[in-house]
Amino acid sequence: MSIGTALETLATDLPVRVSAYDGSAAGPSDAGIGLRLLNPRGLSYLLTAPGDLGLARAYVAGDMDIDGVHPGDPYEALVLLLDRMRIRRPTPSEAVALVRGLGIGNLRPPAPPPQEKLPRWRRTLEGLRHSQHRDASAISHHYDVSNRFYEMVLGPSMTYTCAVFPTKDATLEEAQTYKYDLVARKLDLKSGERLLDVGCGWGGMVRHAAKEYGVRALGVTLSLQQAQWAKEAIDREGLGDLAEVRHLDYRDVMESGFDAVSSIGLTEHIGVRNYPSYFGFLRDRLRPEGRLLNHCITRPHNQDQDTGAFIDRYVFPDGELTGSGRIISAAQDVGFEVMHEENFRRHYAMTLAGWCHNLQENWDECVAEVGEGTARVWGLYMAGSRLGFERNNIQLHHVLAAKTDEQGNDGFALRPTW
């Protein structure tokens, strides 16, 4: 049995042209987008890890190509496959025929591509889930790729979190600056105040607060490469008297009495069961009437839901998402007064489109920097995430909260000033 015949047996609607190394094909011959299966290893990936993991393995390993789109931005292919492609489960007799026809040897799983992290249950050698050692390993897997690679994908702002677009025609850089300033205004930062930025990345919020508001800002990150880049940027911009970035777990910050805490893109990494200790720790770093801005990716519901094998093994190992309601409840339960929340879902879709554009424009240099397999991971992940935000499968929320004093004062104006 040819691979094309197998596909025609199971596909109820095949919107793309699929061609295989055995010379067979399936799907419309005039399709603008095509999948090319290049070798038997690619077939083994598809057969032994069905769903998004098998497809990802074949694509990342270079055993399958997508025609009609750029690997830096395969968004249009993903839209087409999600909207129209339907593969039904074979009957027992069909399954036997398929195995015989395609060859039982193809059911032997090949080794995963080197970009793939071990499955969650096999990471015990790195420590218990969300222990400091294992969190450091997970963060390094995602963020210690290459600072040069991130410069090409993220742009000059070096900001790997959702931008906020003041208008639809704003540039990505304008939107990232606007995001930092919105966070600063929500926190009502003033000259001379102290800010703690947990999960600070390359120091964008720390540098913005110091430069634009005269704030003494401390940022911490588990990524050594991020910390090194941020320190160089602080020195280059002459902000050393106000801004500092440390290579440090946020749980090891000993200082307290901060006027404000910003957490921009950290909560996704800490684990839902750790929310009480996380928000409790941030509360204890604040002075009375101090303020917290929590910015993180969320679900559109508050139920438990796995991130999926591709995201867990290739992108965010041990990452966990939940709804804004659960985040708000956790903050309230440790004593925060929640003042405001806001959803930036559509803004993240626009941000990801901008990053994919940058990856596509700098594709050859990105591949030279990190290898084609890793570059393919990023194109697939960012395009797929863009689609997830557009379809309301994931969201991005700001939660603004205050640590009230003993008299219940929260330090905010009667109406928002931002």
Side-chain angles (χ1 to χ4, degrees):
M1 178 184 296
S2 71
I3 295 170
T5 301
L7 272 173
E8 289 174 342
T9 300
L10 299 178
T12 56
D13 184 9
L14 198 58
V16 298
R17 182 69 170 176
V18 181
S19 57
Y21 61 88
D22 64 357
S24 63
S29 58
D30 60 348
I33 292 175
L35 302 180
R36 285 187 293 120
L37 191 60
L38 302 176
N39 54 52
R41 186 178 65 175
L43 177 61
S44 294
Y45 278 138
L46 298 180
L47 293 177
T48 58
D52 65 348
L53 183 59
L55 285 166
R57 284 175 172 173
Y59 180 65
V60 170
D63 300 329
M64 184 178 71
D65 279 338
I66 306 176
D67 295 328
V69 295
H70 192 282
D73 188 7
Y75 170 81
E76 295 297 336
L78 298 182
V79 170
L80 193 59
L81 293 172
L82 180 65
D83 285 349
R84 291 186 51 195
M85 189 168 179
R86 299 292 180 267
I87 303 293
R88 64 176 178 82
R89 184 184 296 274
T91 65
S93 60
E94 286 175 331
V96 171
L98 288 169
V99 170
R100 287 176 177 169
L102 296 176
I104 195 168
N106 288 315
L107 295 180
R108 187 179 301 111
Q115 291 80 10
E116 182 172 323
K117 190 84 168 173
L118 287 172
R120 187 172 291 166
W121 62 274
R122 288 188 59 192
R123 296 177 201 152
T124 52
L125 291 177
E126 298 173 348
L128 295 175
R129 192 174 182 192
H130 297 302
S131 65
Q132 291 197 14
H133 178 71
R134 183 157 157 179
D135 278 353
S137 175
I139 293 298
S140 179
H141 175 85
H142 188 67
Y143 294 100
D144 289 341
V145 177
S146 157
N147 281 336
R148 178 57 190 146
F149 174 78
Y150 279 109
E151 287 172 346
M152 290 183 284
V153 173
L154 304 181
S157 69
M158 280 294 274
T159 300
Y160 183 40
T161 48
C162 175
V164 177
F165 289 78
T167 62
K168 287 185 177 181
D169 58 354
T171 67
L172 178 60
E173 291 301 306
E174 290 169 344
Q176 291 292 12
T177 298
Y178 187 88
K179 182 266 299 293
Y180 284 134
D181 206 63
L182 178 62
V183 171
R185 286 181 283 129
K186 285 184 172 182
L187 290 171
D188 197 22
L189 294 181
K190 298 180 179 67
S191 179
E193 290 189 331
R194 296 172 63 219
L195 169 72
L196 172 63
D197 186 38
V198 292
C200 69
W202 291 272
M205 183 66 207
V206 167
R207 290 181 287 118
H208 185 88
K211 185 189 305 181
E212 303 298 333
Y213 288 83
V215 168
R216 289 177 291 152
L218 168 63
V220 294
T221 173
L222 274 175
S223 167
L224 178 60
Q225 289 192 25
Q226 286 183 335
Q228 291 171 339
W229 193 98
K231 290 175 183 178
E232 292 172 1
I234 288 169
D235 291 341
R236 187 167 59 248
E237 296 172 20
L239 299 173
D241 291 341
L242 291 173
E244 178 187 0
V245 167
R246 299 177 191 165
H247 178 223
L248 189 71
D249 191 298
Y250 80 91
R251 290 164 285 194
D252 291 330
V253 174
M254 295 293 103
E255 295 95 327
S256 61
F258 289 94
D259 299 283
V261 172
S262 53
S263 176
I264 305 174
L266 172 64
T267 318
E268 301 91 328
H269 297 288
I270 65 171
V272 175
R273 66 180 175 84
N274 294 320
Y275 283 2
S277 60
Y278 164 74
F279 283 110
F281 184 88
L282 299 186
R283 175 204 60 208
D284 293 344
R285 306 278 75 73
L286 287 166
R287 63 164 174 82
E289 298 188 26
R291 304 166 296 278
L292 166 69
L293 190 287
N294 199 84
H295 162 131
C296 75
I297 302 171
T298 57
R299 299 277 184 204
H301 55 73
N302 297 289
Q303 303 159 16
D304 292 331
Q305 181 178 334
D306 193 84
T307 58
F310 172 69
I311 293 294
D312 181 62
R313 298 194 197 184
Y314 284 88
V315 185
F316 288 117
D318 292 338
E320 294 181 47
L321 303 179
T322 189
S324 58
R326 203 161 176 182
I327 291 169
I328 289 172
S329 294
Q332 290 173 327
D333 287 347
V334 302
F336 274 112
E337 180 183 15
V338 173
M339 309 297 297
H340 185 267
E341 75 88 30
E342 190 170 2
N343 184 3
F344 292 98
R345 173 177 66 83
R346 292 182 294 167
H347 293 259
Y348 217 155
M350 296 168 67
T351 303
L352 286 154
W355 290 340
C356 280
H357 173 78
N358 289 344
L359 177 57
Q360 181 173 338
E361 288 295 301
N362 297 291
W363 180 255
D364 290 342
E365 191 175 350
C366 285
V367 168
E369 182 69 21
V370 300
E372 185 166 359
T374 298
R376 284 188 175 208
V377 167
W378 279 83
L380 190 61
Y381 144 63
M382 293 192 300
S385 296
R386 173 188 171 185
L387 188 56
F389 282 105
E390 288 177 347
R391 301 292 174 90
N392 197 26
N393 295 320
I394 39 179
Q395 301 176 344
L396 187 290
H397 278 84
H398 276 192
V399 174
L400 179 64
K403 176 182 177 178
T404 57
D405 66 14
E406 293 181 355
Q407 288 73 44
N409 298 309
D410 55 41
F412 278 92
L414 283 175
R415 293 298 301 152
T417 56
W418 63 86

